[in-house]
Amino acid sequence: MLVVRKAAQTAARKHLCRPFSASHTHLQERKGLVLGVFEKDGEEEGVHLTEAAARFDQSLSGKLSELLKIAGPGLKKGKSRLFYGIHQDFPCVAVVGLGKDSEGVCEAEKWDSRKENIRQAVSAGCRTLQELEVGHVEVDDCGDAKSAAEGAVLGLFSYDELKSKKKTRVTSQLHGSADVDGWKKGVIYAEGQNLARFLMEAPANRITPTAFVNTIEEKLAPHAERVTVKKRSKAWMEEQQMGAFLSVARGSEEPPVFLELHYSGSAVSQQPPLLLVGKGITFDSGGISLKPSQSMDAMRADMGGAATVCASIVAAAALKLPVNIIGLAPLCENMPSGKATKPGDVVTAKNGKTIQVDNTDAEGRLILADALCYGHTFNPRAIVNVATLTGAMDVALGSAATGVFTNSDWLWEQLQQASVVTGDRVWRMPLFQHYTKQVTDSQLADLNNIGKYSRSGGACTAAAFLKEFVTAPHWAHLDIAGVMSNKDEVPYIRKGMSGRPTRTLVEFAARLAHSG
Ligand code: BES
Ligand code: ZN
Ligand code: ZN
């Protein structure tokens, strides 16, 4: 013990004796600047800087554009180039490529490439500065402060909670633009998504149902005036006759929690709420229908629905959106044990429907069934449930888009419009009777929790099962299994759990709020 203490004292003394200029802290006190440059269009002469970059260039009598010309060919989209020592306030300046100034929304692709280019470029610039251990960056709005902020905040995030060596914490701020509001919004949207990423990436022994609830409660504490958090226990679930949810939780030693969030932002307190429901399986082993061990670790993110839903409510509260939202998250583990539900068991959902559980790995639809029944009691104006529901969804669309199954053209339009703004694509999927037949022909019960005749179209069968618990006219089920994790498809999100589509949920709620 004594030896350890002595070693620590020597290390501390050494640190004090180090010349200040070389110290770690000093490195992190340096300020960085991210500025944008467009690709040249046709015969365009010189370099095409953004407004903020052009002003910066002027303040240096054209030095930046001169250096950019010397540095070589024009900067390609998403690439960055560093300049050192050209400005006394900013020892490191990252110039980033924004693509063509003429880019915009592509209707066929439902894709705003201008916004996406800004997110990608700003993220690349911020990360380059982060590698140089710059502690604070100022960022060009690149013509869209909200997207620039999203690029900065999403691009800088990494989950290194449990590592001894962490990436430099970098704070960011808007540079040379009046659109402070747009920037602040972008920060809140992106921080919402980062909260979902944090919850999804964290291992299942850290984010248990109880820990999940505690984290959300903490994040909502500053908004206590407009938010109530109800943590429902197993006894409450029994009272509510949530037999489907309880059948999933049975196999685990971790107590289940049914989280209920009420955000009251509307001036009209009686305004019907938007209901968001998220699948909250904090670990999906498959239960008795055990999954293969390869990649089973990814099932720590099987609470992605709950994470994105709750994080979007945290963001809505931070934005003070004038809308009422109720969030529901049935949270539990899906584990095998002597008490676990067995294939062939029949359970009774809250609405009295009986379900033959033919595969305990199709657990998401069971917990959502009870949550959806309960959700209807609030008379919501719309119901959106979000779930990492089926591997089949990933097979169908991969990480390109969230699959949306909905009984409402209006709701579909709203979600699609929101997703074009955020760059988190959605794609409409069918709710045909064809699939309903697969889940309503059970040998022992009213319903079967897997497709009776075929494994094909698994995402659609799961959706058809959920539909059996919906009577509301505006309901959408978002299957996010395909977008759950990111390798390098979304360039401004590092490899890991994606937190998608949190920003789309926030944008959707904001649109509802402002449409009255
Ligand atoms: N959580 C999984 C779905 C999943 C798979 C999400 C991969 C993300 C990535 C879900 O509970 C599940 O296991 N579904 C089964 C359903 C099947 C048994 C009908 C599946 O997709 O294989
Ligand atoms: Zn499963
Ligand atoms: Zn699952």
Side-chain angles (χ1 to χ4, degrees):
M1 191 58 203
L2 193 70
V3 181
V4 176
R5 201 178 303 138
K6 237 197 171 152
Q9 279 167 354
T10 324
R13 226 176 293 134
K14 256 198 201 152
H15 185 76
L16 284 176
C17 296
R18 236 190 268 156
F20 189 62
S21 61
S23 85
H24 199 62
T25 357
H26 188 58
L27 272 180
Q28 294 185 359
E29 276 165 12
R30 287 172 313 151
K31 264 207 289 190
L33 178 61
V34 177
L35 295 172
V37 58
F38 294 102
E39 253 171 58
K40 277 194 278 184
D41 240 335
E43 295 302 290
E44 219 178 322
E45 290 277 305
V47 278
H48 184 167
L49 298 170
T50 61
E51 279 177 31
R55 271 198 305 276
F56 182 85
D57 189 40
Q58 265 164 23
S59 78
L60 294 177
S61 320
K63 178 132 185 214
L64 181 68
S65 42
E66 194 183 308
L67 286 173
L68 274 167
K69 277 185 223 152
I70 297 170
L75 255 182
K76 289 263 172 291
K77 179 169 86 180
K79 298 287 177 205
S80 61
R81 205 154 275 162
L82 276 168
F83 298 95
Y84 304 101
I86 58 170
H87 191 285
Q88 69 180 58
D89 296 340
F90 304 102
C92 311
V93 177
V95 179
V96 295
L98 291 167
K100 298 227 164 79
D101 193 13
S102 54
E103 288 193 47
V105 181
C106 172
E107 268 307 318
E109 292 271 339
K110 295 290 167 202
W111 192 251
D112 189 333
S113 47
R114 190 184 176 84
K115 285 192 182 353
E116 281 293 283
N117 289 353
I118 295 172
R119 292 182 189 107
Q120 180 178 356
V122 167
S123 144
C126 289
R127 282 184 198 164
T128 310
L129 294 169
Q130 186 178 39
E131 270 160 37
L132 298 175
E133 299 185 7
V134 168
H136 182 72
V137 292
E138 290 196 11
V139 179
D140 180 348
D141 75 6
C142 303
D144 182 340
K146 185 170 169 237
S147 302
E150 289 174 339
V153 175
L154 292 170
L156 286 166
F157 176 88
S158 71
Y159 182 81
D160 50 15
E161 287 282 303
L162 309 172
K163 295 194 183 201
S164 325
K165 194 168 182 308
K166 300 184 197 310
K167 285 203 159 50
T168 306
R169 294 274 166 262
V170 184
T171 52
S172 51
Q173 177 191 333
L174 182 62
H175 176 85
S177 157
D179 193 6
V180 180
D181 261 13
W183 174 269
K184 281 187 186 158
K185 270 189 198 159
V187 169
I188 294 174
Y189 276 55
E191 282 178 346
Q193 183 165 351
N194 286 350
L195 171 60
R197 288 164 87 184
F198 168 86
L199 290 165
M200 290 169 75
E201 190 71 270
N205 62 342
R206 290 240 156 188
I207 298 296
T208 59
T210 310
F212 182 105
V213 171
N214 291 344
T215 310
I216 293 298
E217 208 174 15
E218 210 176 277
K219 295 287 175 190
L220 285 171
H223 314 293
E225 227 170 73
R226 291 156 179 246
V227 179
T228 18
V229 178
K230 300 183 186 189
K231 300 175 274 185
R232 314 295 204 174
S233 67
K234 190 173 158 214
W236 179 87
M237 296 162 208
E238 279 160 355
E239 246 166 63
Q240 291 289 324
Q241 300 182 301
M242 294 185 165
F245 177 30
L246 284 161
S247 79
V248 176
R250 284 182 69 81
S252 171
E253 297 287 326
E254 281 296 332
V257 187
F258 191 99
L259 178 62
E260 186 177 324
L261 307 175
H262 291 243
Y263 167 68
S264 311
S266 171
V268 192
S269 66
Q270 293 310 312
Q271 186 198 59
L274 161 65
L275 180 73
L276 301 177
V277 184
K279 169 177 172 183
I281 298 290
T282 60
F283 189 73
D284 182 11
S285 70
I288 297 295
S289 314
L290 196 64
K291 283 180 181 296
S293 56
Q294 197 183 8
S295 304
M296 204 204 269
D297 71 286
M299 287 298 105
R300 67 182 184 278
D302 208 22
M303 27 57 80
T308 52
V309 157
C310 295
S312 71
I313 293 177
V314 172
L319 291 162
K320 298 196 162 57
L321 292 183
V323 66
N324 294 337
I325 311 177
I326 294 180
L328 303 177
L331 293 151
C332 71
E333 288 184 340
N334 184 24
M335 296 293 277
S337 84
K339 281 209 272 173
T341 296
K342 301 166 287 296
D345 283 2
V346 174
V347 301
T348 308
K350 181 172 165 58
N351 65 353
K353 289 199 184 184
T354 53
I355 307 162
Q356 184 173 333
V357 181
D358 269 347
N359 191 320
T360 63
D361 196 13
E363 83 299 340
R365 60 198 80 180
L366 296 174
I367 70 169
L368 288 173
D370 280 337
L372 285 168
C373 292
Y374 177 62
H376 278 75
T377 62
F378 297 106
N379 235 340
R381 65 200 283 204
I383 304 179
V384 176
N385 75 255
V386 187
T388 48
L389 205 63
T390 62
M393 191 65 239
D394 185 39
V395 175
L397 301 183
S399 57
T402 292
V404 179
F405 299 81
T406 179
N407 59 2
S408 161
D409 292 342
W410 166 78
L411 190 48
W412 163 244
E413 277 300 319
Q414 299 300 312
L415 288 164
Q416 190 179 42
Q417 282 170 20
S419 83
V420 174
V421 176
T422 60
D424 253 337
R425 238 184 322 213
V426 292
W427 198 251
R428 192 165 183 177
M429 304 284 290
L431 275 173
F432 297 142
Q433 270 297 317
H434 172 91
Y435 303 108
T436 305
K437 283 197 205 118
Q438 296 245 348
V439 292
T440 49
D441 187 15
S442 161
Q443 192 177 354
L444 304 175
D446 300 331
L447 298 169
N448 214 77
N449 82 327
I450 54 170
K452 192 84 197 294
Y453 313 111
S454 155
R455 289 184 59 225
S456 307
C460 308
T461 330
F465 180 93
L466 294 181
K467 190 167 153 255
E468 291 303 300
F469 297 88
V470 174
T471 54
H474 300 293
W475 161 69
H477 152 54
L478 274 53
D479 193 333
I480 58 165
V483 302
M484 178 180 84
S485 62
N486 192 58
K487 286 181 279 297
D488 53 8
E489 310 91 307
V490 183
Y492 47 89
I493 297 176
R494 287 192 170 111
K495 185 173 163 6
M497 300 308 169
S498 71
R500 290 169 73 188
T502 305
R503 286 180 300 116
T504 302
L505 296 175
V506 181
E507 182 65 23
F508 164 65
R511 281 162 174 261
L512 267 195
H514 297 119
S515 71

